[in-house]
């Protein structure tokens, strides 16, 4: 939950164009997530399973990280909806 919440908060920040111009360390964020086995675009396609708590969470994280690839800092706002859906389904 904490990782998903952090990414949702980070997404809100990246929504502001002035912040996008200032963020220079997206590669470091990707490296830190990779050190914990999180990769951009993980658990997509046949790997996705919305009934599995961990697979669904990793899918959301992977979608957020996808926005940090290629020197980009825009995280798709849909991760906030996905996170809310995930929370409703898997948390009390």
């Amino acid at each position: 939950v904490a990782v998903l919440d952090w990414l949702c908060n980070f997404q809100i920040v990246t929504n502001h164009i002035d912040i996008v111009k200032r963020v220079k360390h997206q590669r470091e964020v990707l490296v830190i997530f990779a050190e914990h086995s999180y990769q951009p675009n993980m658990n997509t396609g046949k790997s996705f399973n919305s009934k599995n708590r961990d697979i669904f969470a990793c899918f959301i994280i992977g979608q957020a990280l996808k926005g940090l690839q290629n020197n980009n800092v825009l995280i798709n706002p849909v991760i906030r909806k996905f996170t809310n859906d995930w929370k409703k389904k898997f948390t009390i």
Side-chain angles (χ1 to χ4, degrees), residues 12-77:
I12 293 167
V13 171
T14 67
N15 250 359
H16 303 284
I17 192 69
D18 292 338
I19 299 297
V20 171
K21 292 177 184 175
R22 291 184 198 141
V23 176
K24 296 180 169 107
H25 302 292
Q26 67 269 27
R27 284 275 170 236
E28 292 175 28
V29 172
L30 287 168
V31 168
I32 291 167
F33 274 88
E35 288 171 354
H36 293 87
S37 301
Y38 297 112
Q39 298 294 325
N41 245 359
M42 63 192 304
N43 294 344
T44 58
K46 291 181 181 181
S47 298
F48 180 70
N49 180 351
S50 65
K51 295 177 183 168
N52 182 293
R53 181 181 194 268
D54 294 333
I55 289 174
F56 193 177
C58 288
F59 164 79
I60 298 167
I61 294 166
Q63 292 306 294
L65 296 178
K66 179 181 174 186
L68 298 178
Q69 285 183 313
N70 303 323
N71 295 320
N72 193 5
V73 190
L74 296 173
I75 296 174
N76 191 321

